[in-house]
Amino acid sequence: MTNSYQPKVNSNGEVYSLEALLRWNSAKLGHIPPDVFIPLAESTGLIHDFGGFVLNTVIKDRKKLSDIYSFNPNIALNVSLLQMLEKTFISNLRNITETHEIEPGSLTIELTESVLMNNIEKIIQVMEEIRALGIKISLDDFGSGLSSLNLLARLPIDEVKLDRVFICNMDGSESENILLTIKNIISLCLDLSLEVVVEGIEDQDTETVLKKLGAQNFQGYYYSKPMKINDLEVGV
Ligand code: G
Ligand code: MN
C-alpha cells in the first residue's frame, strides 16, 4: 500500500490542500482501484489497519514537505464510516495532533455523502466531536447519492466536494439542467459559508465554465493526478 496525494487548487491555481489517496499495487494482481479494495477492506475489517497506515504516513509525509520545502499545506484524509465509528477514533486524532504538534485546522477529514445514509444523529455527533478538536470536515462525492440540499444547512461541515458525476454529464443531453444545478449548489454552499471544491476537472474549458458558475476551488487531472510524495513539485 502507498499513499498518493492529489492537490486541491484555488482560483489562482495555488495548491492549498493535498488529498491523501490510498493506492494498492499488488505484485500478483497489479493496480487495484480503491472502489474495489475499500469495500473489501471494510467487509474483512482490514479498513481499521488501513486507516492507521494512512494517518501515520500522512504525518511523516507532512513533516517531509515541511522540512524540505517549508510547505505546510492542509492535508485531507478520506475516512470510512467504520473508521469514524471506532471507539478510539476521536482520541487517536487528538493524540496524533498533540504528539506531532500539528495544527488541527491543517487537517481535513473527507466523509463521503453515503455515510449520511446511516444513523444520522450518531454521524452528526461524531462530526461535531471531530470539529471540536479543530479539525475540518469535507463532505465528499456530494450529489452522487440521495442526500438532500436542506441537509447541508444542518451538517457541521466546512467544505463540500461536488461529485465528478456533474462534470461527466456537463456535455450530455441534460447539460443545461446540470449547469443550473451546479450553479445553484455552489451558491447555496457559499450562502452557508461552506467552501466548495469541484472534483474531476480534466481540461481548461471545464474550469472556465465552472468559474463562470461561481466555483472557486478545483481538483482533477487537469491540475494533477495523485502523486507520490517525492514526486510532488511544490514550492518550486
Ligand atoms: O471519492 P473521492 O473523490 O475521494 O475519489 C477520488 C478518486 O477520483 C481518486 O481515485 C482519483 O484518482 C480520482 N480522480 C481524481 N481526479 C480525477 C479526474 O479528474 N478524472 C478522473 N477520471 N478521476 C479522478
Ligand atoms: Mn475524497
Side-chain angles (χ1 to χ4, degrees), residues 24-148:
W24 184 11
N25 260 313
S26 153
K28 263 195 200 152
L29 304 169
H31 173 74
I32 307 181
D35 51 347
V36 173
F37 73 76
I38 296 293
L40 266 176
E42 289 191 312
S43 62
T44 54
L46 266 178
I47 193 75
H48 302 292
D49 297 329
F50 284 11
F53 170 84
V54 171
L55 199 51
N56 288 329
T57 313
V58 157
I59 301 302
K60 270 190 228 141
D61 289 345
R62 200 171 178 282
K63 183 154 174 20
K64 236 187 213 176
L65 289 178
S66 177
D67 290 349
I68 300 175
Y69 302 108
S70 304
F71 184 50
N72 296 293
N74 170 281
I75 305 252
L77 301 150
N78 292 282
V79 168
S80 81
L81 174 73
L82 291 180
Q83 277 172 276
M84 80 179 285
L85 296 178
E86 283 168 11
K87 281 208 183 75
T88 54
F89 182 61
I90 297 293
S91 54
N92 278 348
L93 284 177
R94 186 186 301 112
N95 285 341
I96 285 220
T97 49
E98 285 177 2
T99 311
H100 299 276
E101 294 178 347
I102 292 168
E103 162 62 34
S106 68
L107 290 183
T108 296
I109 296 217
E110 295 199 7
L111 299 170
T112 91
E113 185 191 67
S114 61
V115 302
L116 305 173
M117 301 298 132
N118 299 275
N119 180 346
I120 186 83
E121 299 309 325
K122 173 71 187 163
I123 300 294
I124 290 181
Q125 183 203 324
V126 180
M127 285 175 149
E128 276 166 353
E129 286 170 4
I130 295 170
R131 283 182 102 216
L133 296 175
I135 294 174
K136 294 182 179 158
I137 299 188
S138 175
L139 188 61
D140 206 356
D141 305 325
F142 185 76
S144 63
L146 297 169
S147 62
S148 65

Side-chain angles (χ1 to χ4, degrees), residues 171-186:
D171 298 327
S173 56
E174 290 290 314
S175 65
E176 269 185 42
N177 287 340
I178 298 281
L179 295 183
L180 199 58
T181 306
I182 297 175
K183 184 165 171 255
N184 284 320
I185 294 178
I186 292 173

